[in-house]
Amino acid sequence: MPFPTNAHRHFGSHLIVPEDLSASDITAIFAISQDLQTAFEAGHREVLFPGRVLGLVFEKPSLRTRVSFEAAMVHLGGASLFLGEDTGFSSSRESIADFGRVLSQYVDAIVCRVKNHESLVQLAAAAAVPVINGLSDYCHPCQALADIYTLKQHVGSVAGLKLAFVGDGNNVARSLAVLCGLLGMRFALAAPKAYQFDSAFCAHLKTILPAADVMETTDPVVAVEGAAVVYTDVWTSMGQEQERAKRIAALQPFQVNEALLKHCPDALFMHCLPARRGEEVTDGVIDGPQSVVVQEAANRMHLQKGLLAWMLGPTRPLDAR
Ligand code: CP
Ligand code: NVA
């Protein structure tokens, strides 16, 4: 079995925010993910979850998160159910608590993508099975885990390295800041003042990770100097479409382009995707030699296999019991 003997496995807990995990949890998840990835790439599909079902409750569009979880469950011998708006989550049809209590009777775990983070918190409070955040307006822990997993594959050890996020201080940026803090990495955000982290998040970060090395600047060059990773994301996240023109005007000087990457020629370029080419990133950067965006997207699946195995534990085929 592809489990390190010292893996610290949780059974039945949720992943709502990145800080639900400790550094040793993340180390264990990365190790399981790498074992499963290595086996998968050698042609083995580990049947860890026969007869297990993952429910995917999505209030927003998705390619990567939805398909990577669905494919992961197929590879691991389980199944998934995609539950879109017609199931009535977070609507007047029924309460989130009733929805969570009932869905827990049918599935072994739930991945949920929400418009409002609070809906996810309510679902997790009611659910009898593990709930995984598949993106909220507040954070995107599965993305950040796959990003740092990708970095680790390139550099071996991530402690002490700097990740520079250039652009909107959004859900993905918040998740990366926490993960960097947990793993002893440095985090720099370059954004206009109005798009930097709000004071509530900064205070929260100080409380949960007092030693975290997090800096904010309005100068992208200062942020990327000495960075191992330069990261960006869309300037207008899902749900913010009415602010698009204002955001483009404010964030234009924070585009990640060839001129900016000249200040960090050895850095990897990352983007969670989908990208708005020509806005937050140029074609030359996203398609260029420093870019690892496709590997990053592929790693969503490998990382989430490790996460599911760590959260749920393996089940043996019935005939082996
Ligand atoms: N990066 C990411 O979460 O992509 P999707 O919105 O396509 O799932
Ligand atoms: N910040 C983006 C991430 C998409 C994966 C959004 O929330 O739309």
Side-chain angles (χ1 to χ4, degrees):
M1 293 298 281
F3 292 101
T5 49
N6 62 349
H8 165 210
R9 278 185 260 144
H10 270 197
F11 294 93
S13 52
H14 305 301
L15 174 57
I16 304 302
V17 290
E19 58 268 36
D20 287 338
L21 301 172
S22 68
S24 65
D25 293 338
I26 295 165
T27 302
I29 292 165
F30 284 180
I32 301 167
S33 303
Q34 188 60 67
D35 283 346
L36 288 171
Q37 181 176 352
T38 303
F40 179 75
E41 287 170 355
H44 306 299
R45 300 197 174 190
E46 303 282 344
V47 184
L48 299 183
F49 296 147
R52 297 242 205 156
V53 180
L54 182 66
L56 294 156
V57 180
F58 276 48
E59 288 192 298
K60 290 177 174 179
S62 173
L63 170 65
R64 282 143 287 267
T65 307
R66 173 183 176 173
V67 181
S68 58
F69 269 113
E70 294 209 38
M73 284 305 284
V74 172
H75 294 163
L76 296 174
S80 62
L81 296 171
F82 184 76
L83 306 168
E85 287 195 21
D86 56 329
T87 46
F89 175 73
S90 187
S91 72
S92 55
R93 192 161 190 268
E94 63 186 317
S95 73
I96 291 177
D98 286 346
F99 186 102
R101 278 194 286 266
V102 172
L103 183 58
S104 301
Q105 308 306 308
Y106 310 135
V107 302
D108 297 281
I110 300 168
V111 176
C112 187
R113 170 168 285 200
V114 293
K115 294 178 182 163
N116 298 311
H117 187 76
E118 179 54 29
S119 307
L120 198 55
V121 173
Q122 285 179 30
L123 179 70
V129 298
V131 175
I132 298 171
N133 182 348
L135 180 146
S136 71
D137 52 337
Y138 179 63
C139 64
H140 196 2
C142 293
Q143 180 67 52
L145 284 166
D147 299 333
I148 306 301
Y149 176 71
T150 304
L151 175 63
K152 191 170 162 3
Q153 289 183 329
H154 281 266
V155 298
S157 168
V158 300
L161 298 184
K162 180 184 188 185
L163 187 149
F165 191 103
V166 181
D168 182 25
N170 64 11
N171 46 2
V172 173
R174 280 189 286 271
S175 305
L176 288 164
V178 172
L179 222 58
C180 286
L182 281 168
L183 297 176
M185 292 176 60
R186 293 176 289 144
F187 179 90
L189 171 64
K193 283 264 184 239
Y195 295 94
Q196 293 184 0
F197 295 145
D198 65 22
S199 53
F201 178 70
C202 292
H204 174 66
L205 207 51
K206 267 211 167 60
T207 307
I208 59 165
L209 292 163
D213 186 343
V214 174
M215 67 90 79
E216 295 183 276
T217 173
T218 53
D219 186 344
V221 174
V222 169
V224 305
E225 268 168 357
V229 179
V230 175
Y231 201 115
T232 192
D233 183 14
V234 289
W235 293 336
T236 305
S237 287
M238 292 180 276
Q240 299 173 331
E241 290 77 8
Q242 74 291 351
E243 298 173 22
R244 189 166 146 72
K246 191 177 85 177
R247 287 173 163 272
I248 289 174
L251 285 152
Q252 198 63 62
F254 296 83
Q255 183 186 67
V256 178
N257 52 33
E258 292 85 333
L260 184 63
L261 285 201
K262 284 213 165 69
H263 297 275
C264 49
D266 299 324
L268 300 176
F269 171 73
M270 292 193 184
H271 191 309
C272 56
L273 304 179
R276 285 263 187 183
R277 288 165 176 259
E279 290 186 17
E280 75 275 4
V281 62
T282 57
D283 286 339
V285 167
I286 198 167
D287 298 328
Q290 291 173 252
S291 176
V292 294
V293 298
V294 175
Q295 182 191 359
E296 211 185 331
N299 278 342
R300 291 292 306 277
M301 182 179 77
H302 301 304
L303 183 283
Q304 288 157 197
K305 283 181 182 175
L307 176 66
L308 288 168
W310 179 80
M311 288 182 96
L312 303 179
T315 47
R316 285 169 295 148
L318 286 175
D319 59 9
R321 290 180 189 193

